[in-house]
Amino acid sequence: MALIDQLIEALRVLPGVGPKSAQRMAYHVLERERVGGKRLAEVLAQAVRDIRHCARCRDFTETEICAICASASRDAHLLCAVESPADRLAIEQATGYRGLYFILQGKLSPLDGIGPRELGLDQLDNRMGEGEIQELIIATNPTVEGEATAHYLAQLARRHNVRPSRLAHGVPLGGELEYVDRGTLSHAFGTRSEML
Amino acid sequence: MALIDQLIEALRVLPGVGPKSAQRMAYHVLERERVGGKRLAEVLAQAVRDIRHCARCRDFTETEICAICASASRDAHLLCAVESPADRLAIEQATGYRGLYFILQGKLSPLDGIGPRELGLDQLDNRMGEGEIQELIIATNPTVEGEATAHYLAQLARRHNVRPSRLAHGVPLGGELEYVDRGTLSHAFGTRSEML
Ligand SMILES: [Zn+2]
Ligand SMILES: [Zn+2]
């Protein structure tokens, strides 16, 4: 197969990229963005080789411990649990939150075989057992599975005398946290309520 | 900058990819498509390094002469001039055309400094002078600049006693060849008329 056809095919690994847009991307890069294309190839190769999960929070990182977990200026009494790295990023960009995170990399979904172990909850359990965390801010998505996960996390927190809280209403029901506008997300974060 | 942020930034070299979709692409590849991501990185690196223009038709190829130009089974009496590799591909996929191509890589646009030299028309001129080509099928887009280019090419053809022809009406006016449905394009190609 000609190299350009191989490139068009390889681009389809990207989400939302069909045959037509893969073709447009390939031609665009070859016609106008060779330097940027070379850079993308290098960074992508390095990323798929080196990026793993942070040993502490399970976020993506190329180091053993990610920059946030390693930072001395974050408040270690606060831990915020989110479903995905994208949600972590949305909160970090929208709010003034200075605590730490725990990325579940999913939500409880027994039918798909995703239980506490798959979400690293044994790790979260151990961590809350260390005694430093005072509040677990549960920022799972307001979906059925997200709610179930939230209640499970709240129970886990209470067992360690950690105060569980949830983001305030404001996040649209059934919506994805990642796509909520910054203002709404910031407000919801600020008015989070304790889970009783 | 963290490697993942470098990846998100590098993905924005692709056309139509904003910050949000770059982020979604990066997470998707890292979560679910590491093998495909590695493959994309390799093919992309090779493509931006090795793909150049065919010495004969100016299409993209990693060899000196592209597969179509090098093929013994194509009809060397017919030459089809198109604006872009995407247009060449659209004709190749939609029609039963078995002649050769010439890819202008643009259209005449004096205000943008794109004249005959930039479109390789000296090369096309020499090629028609070789005497083998009998018909020049002009498949530029039906835009103002595409029409101007077509008339220029027709004059060039006549000077060498090569018969210029254009695709039949059917290609929507003001439309882009690349996005015309296969049926329409095939019909327009089959009923092309001689330019007088
Ligand atoms: Zn971390
Ligand atoms: Zn060629």
Side-chain angles (χ1 to χ4, degrees):
Chain A
M1 207 195 307
L3 189 48
I4 179 126
D5 296 321
Q6 292 178 45
L7 176 59
I8 291 168
E9 198 171 282
L11 280 163
R12 298 200 49 198
V13 78
L14 301 173
V17 176
K20 206 77 187 174
S21 51
Q23 187 189 310
R24 200 171 59 241
M25 285 173 170
Y27 289 138
H28 176 87
V29 168
L30 291 170
E31 278 161 15
R32 282 187 286 273
E33 297 278 9
R34 297 240 175 182
V35 173
K38 181 165 183 285
R39 162 97 185 133
L40 172 56
E42 287 163 358
V43 173
L44 180 57
Q46 209 185 331
V48 297
R49 191 188 62 220
D50 295 342
I51 290 179
R52 68 193 97 173
H53 289 151
C54 170
R56 197 110 179 103
C57 74
R58 293 167 44 99
D59 198 1
F60 285 126
T61 177
E62 71 274 27
T63 50
E64 174 73 12
I65 304 286
C66 78
I68 290 180
C69 288
S71 167
S73 70
R74 308 287 304 207
D75 183 348
H77 300 309
L78 296 175
L79 188 67
C80 177
V82 293
E83 290 180 19
S84 71
D87 293 339
R88 197 275 299 154
L89 186 63
I91 289 175
E92 191 70 7
Q93 288 176 343
T95 74
Y97 181 63
R98 297 297 301 162
L100 298 172
Y101 293 95
F102 189 84
I103 288 91
L104 302 166
Q105 300 283 1
K107 56 208 163 208
L108 290 176
S109 180
L111 293 176
D112 302 314
I114 300 175
R117 180 189 299 271
E118 284 68 31
L119 303 184
L121 298 194
D122 41 349
Q123 197 180 331
L124 180 61
D125 198 29
N126 290 336
R127 187 148 169 199
M128 287 195 289
E130 294 169 4
E132 196 167 26
I133 298 163
Q134 294 169 356
E135 180 182 353
L136 179 68
I137 302 167
I138 302 171
T140 52
N141 283 307
T143 58
V144 174
E145 289 167 335
E147 291 291 332
T149 307
H151 283 97
Y152 190 99
L153 292 176
Q155 284 182 319
L156 206 66
R158 286 189 201 100
R159 215 178 297 152
H160 293 288
N161 289 316
V162 167
R163 203 157 20 95
S165 63
R166 291 225 63 192
L167 302 202
H169 285 299
V171 176
L173 279 169
E176 298 272 38
L177 217 69
E178 183 182 349
Y179 296 101
V180 172
D181 68 282
R182 291 170 67 125
T184 306
L185 186 56
S186 181
H187 175 82
F189 199 88
T191 58
R192 64 185 180 271
S193 61
E194 188 167 349
M195 285 176 84
L196 303 170
Chain B
M1 208 195 305
L3 190 48
I4 179 127
D5 296 322
Q6 292 178 45
L7 176 58
I8 291 168
E9 196 171 284
L11 280 163
R12 298 201 49 198
V13 77
L14 301 174
V17 176
K20 206 77 187 173
S21 52
Q23 187 189 312
R24 201 172 59 242
M25 285 175 171
Y27 289 139
H28 176 86
V29 168
L30 291 171
E31 278 161 16
R32 282 187 286 275
E33 296 277 9
R34 296 239 176 181
V35 172
K38 182 166 183 285
R39 162 96 186 134
L40 173 56
E42 287 162 359
V43 173
L44 180 56
Q46 209 185 331
V48 298
R49 190 189 62 220
D50 295 342
I51 289 179
R52 68 192 95 174
H53 289 151
C54 170
R56 196 108 179 104
C57 75
R58 292 168 45 100
D59 198 0
F60 285 126
T61 178
E62 70 274 26
T63 51
E64 174 73 10
I65 304 286
C66 78
I68 290 180
C69 288
S71 167
S73 70
R74 309 284 306 206
D75 183 348
H77 299 310
L78 297 175
L79 189 67
C80 176
V82 292
E83 290 180 18
S84 72
D87 293 339
R88 198 274 300 155
L89 186 62
I91 288 174
E92 191 70 6
Q93 287 175 343
T95 74
Y97 180 62
R98 297 298 300 163
L100 299 171
Y101 293 95
F102 189 84
I103 288 91
L104 301 166
Q105 300 281 2
K107 54 208 166 210
L108 290 176
S109 180
L111 292 177
D112 302 314
I114 300 176
R117 179 189 300 270
E118 284 68 31
L119 303 184
L121 298 193
D122 41 351
Q123 196 179 333
L124 180 61
D125 197 30
N126 290 337
R127 187 147 169 200
M128 288 195 288
E130 293 169 4
E132 197 168 24
I133 297 162
Q134 294 168 355
E135 179 182 353
L136 179 68
I137 302 167
I138 302 170
T140 52
N141 283 308
T143 57
V144 174
E145 289 168 335
E147 292 291 332
T149 308
H151 282 97
Y152 191 99
L153 293 177
Q155 284 181 320
L156 206 64
R158 286 190 201 99
R159 215 177 297 154
H160 292 287
N161 289 317
V162 168
R163 204 155 21 94
S165 63
R166 291 225 63 190
L167 302 202
H169 285 299
V171 175
L173 280 169
E176 300 271 38
L177 217 68
E178 183 183 348
Y179 295 101
V180 172
D181 69 282
R182 291 169 65 124
T184 307
L185 187 56
S186 181
H187 175 82
F189 199 89
T191 59
R192 64 186 181 269
S193 60
E194 187 168 350
M195 285 178 85
L196 300 170

